[in-house]
Amino acid sequence: LFSLSSFNLLCVPDYLPVPWIGNVLAISKLKPTLGETAFSTKNVFVPMIPIAAISWGISTLLGSLSTQLYSILLPFVVMIGCLLIILCPWPYLTMKNLMLVIFYLIVASPLSLRPTGLQEDSLQEELGAGFVPGLVGTCSIGLFVALLMHITLIPVTKSSTASRLAPILVTHLAYENRQLLRSVSEYTQNIGKDTTISRQARTLIEFYVKRRCRTLDKLEKYLSAMRVERNFLCIKNNVDTVEAYVACSKKQQKHVELLQLATTQQFLGEEFTSLNETVRGVKTRFSTNIGFSIEQLSLGYSRGENALLFGSTSSEREDIFRGLSLCMDSYRNAMKQA
């Protein structure tokens, strides 16, 4: 339905030439969220206007020449134009390959209509003054159709805006944090005591570390889309809070990966717990002294993260963070005892 609607809008040959490029843009610039689609659309539309205007001037100049001279100069003009577009340092000129296609279509199309060889005596066809505006209009309609696909879903509860999807991902990331900490707590409490449960917890730690990394990467991609939706589409969101949460989570990811390394890898010279009583004794002492404090610290962190993300009164936050500080002191004492 989406491709059919864009094709019907563009199939007006008298006013909108080269309809295929509009259909390609409509499909290729369609992104998972409204903000990403608007951002990619802007990256095409902003540089397209000056490129089309400059190409139009070059095409007009070449069109005033004879067909033979036009044919001789065209390869050199295209080569120089391509080099200038590729090497242009303008920060908004990001879709350079597409700009090369537009440049070549505008510059070379008039020559394709001129008679050559045995047709030299026939009448010369002209593209008309509306070819370049029509080409820009074709591309603009294709980009608008891609945007329209998301805009029509805004009134729906399950819209495709990054402002709606990002808080859902934040909730998923918070859930993965809680499950990771719970697995660490189970591993710490059962290491050296129950090999089966500790192995299951170790597997869950590895699973949630990788899943947390994927969720964090996806959430980071939504930040620019949320800014576009807030600044240009007037959609209210809390992009600053999400950005601060992503920055904090990225720092935590390094520690999480170290945690995975410590719980899933064997140390140099270490044997399996079931084969060495000394290793079992060390792990049992570790779980006895630190297991409970790790559990309390995990619960305290989960409560603090929930208070920051999902809102609470200032007095409740103070109590939660005071309790988290006490859990940290208890953990330090347990480490000394171990």
Side-chain angles (χ1 to χ4, degrees), residues 13-295:
D14 294 336
Y15 303 101
L16 298 176
V18 200
W20 62 266
I21 194 171
N23 283 280
V24 169
L25 285 176
I27 297 173
S28 62
K29 295 301 148 187
L30 182 64
K31 304 298 180 182
T33 63
L34 174 60
E36 290 177 288
T37 304
F39 186 73
S40 63
T41 298
K42 180 180 74 69
N43 287 340
V44 174
F45 184 78
V46 171
M48 181 178 61
I49 302 302
I51 292 294
I54 295 172
S55 303
W56 196 2
I58 296 174
S59 176
T60 304
L61 181 62
L62 292 176
S64 62
L65 304 176
S66 63
T67 302
Q68 186 176 5
L69 188 57
Y70 196 164
S71 303
I72 295 173
L73 293 178
L74 180 62
F76 299 98
V77 172
V78 171
M79 180 182 66
I80 295 172
C82 291
L83 285 175
L84 292 176
I85 291 175
I86 293 297
L87 300 177
C88 180
W90 190 34
Y92 291 100
L93 187 58
T94 54
M95 307 294 295
K96 294 185 178 182
N97 292 333
L98 179 62
M99 296 303 112
L100 290 176
V101 173
I102 294 175
F103 169 75
Y104 184 77
L105 282 174
I106 296 175
V107 172
S109 292
L111 182 61
S112 63
L113 296 179
R114 291 194 176 186
T116 57
L118 299 175
Q119 300 176 346
E120 288 184 352
D121 296 332
S122 60
L123 294 176
Q124 178 176 323
E125 297 182 24
E126 297 290 343
L127 285 176
F131 174 74
V132 177
L135 180 62
V136 174
T138 300
C139 298
S140 301
I141 289 178
L143 297 174
F144 174 73
V145 170
L147 278 175
L148 188 64
M149 190 67 182
H150 289 286
I151 293 174
T152 53
L153 296 176
I154 291 180
V156 184
T157 54
K158 293 186 177 180
S159 64
S160 57
T161 60
S163 302
R164 186 190 72 85
L165 297 176
I168 297 176
L169 278 181
V170 169
T171 306
H172 290 174
L173 189 59
Y175 170 77
E176 290 160 7
N177 287 338
R178 291 194 299 269
Q179 294 299 113
L180 176 63
L181 293 173
R182 181 178 299 175
S183 302
V184 172
S185 176
E186 289 184 359
Y187 177 82
T188 310
Q189 290 178 350
N190 292 281
I191 183 174
K193 298 179 180 178
D194 194 324
T195 306
T196 303
I197 296 179
S198 62
R199 285 179 179 175
Q200 292 174 353
R202 188 169 57 188
T203 303
L204 288 175
I205 290 172
E206 189 172 3
F207 170 75
Y208 281 112
V209 167
K210 294 180 179 178
R211 185 171 177 177
R212 186 181 187 277
C213 185
R214 290 196 299 266
T215 306
L216 188 57
D217 291 340
K218 188 183 297 185
L219 185 59
E220 190 175 9
K221 293 178 182 178
Y222 282 172
L223 292 177
S224 58
M226 292 178 69
R227 291 193 192 94
V228 171
E229 291 175 0
R230 185 182 65 178
N231 298 332
F232 298 100
L233 304 177
C234 300
I235 298 178
K236 296 181 179 180
N237 57 46
N238 54 347
V239 61
D240 297 329
T241 304
V242 175
E243 185 176 13
Y245 180 63
V246 168
C248 179
S249 298
K250 288 178 67 176
K251 293 180 181 179
Q252 292 173 346
Q253 184 65 22
K254 299 178 181 179
H255 300 285
V256 166
E257 291 172 356
L258 291 176
L259 182 65
Q260 177 189 2
L261 181 65
T263 55
T264 59
Q265 302 295 324
Q266 287 184 328
F267 297 104
L268 184 63
E270 180 184 348
E271 299 180 4
F272 289 105
T273 307
S274 59
L275 301 179
N276 194 314
E277 290 297 328
T278 304
V279 176
R280 179 185 294 274
V282 171
K283 291 184 176 181
T284 302
R285 181 171 298 183
F286 184 80
S287 62
T288 302
N289 290 276
I290 303 180
F292 179 74
S293 62
I294 287 287
E295 182 180 10

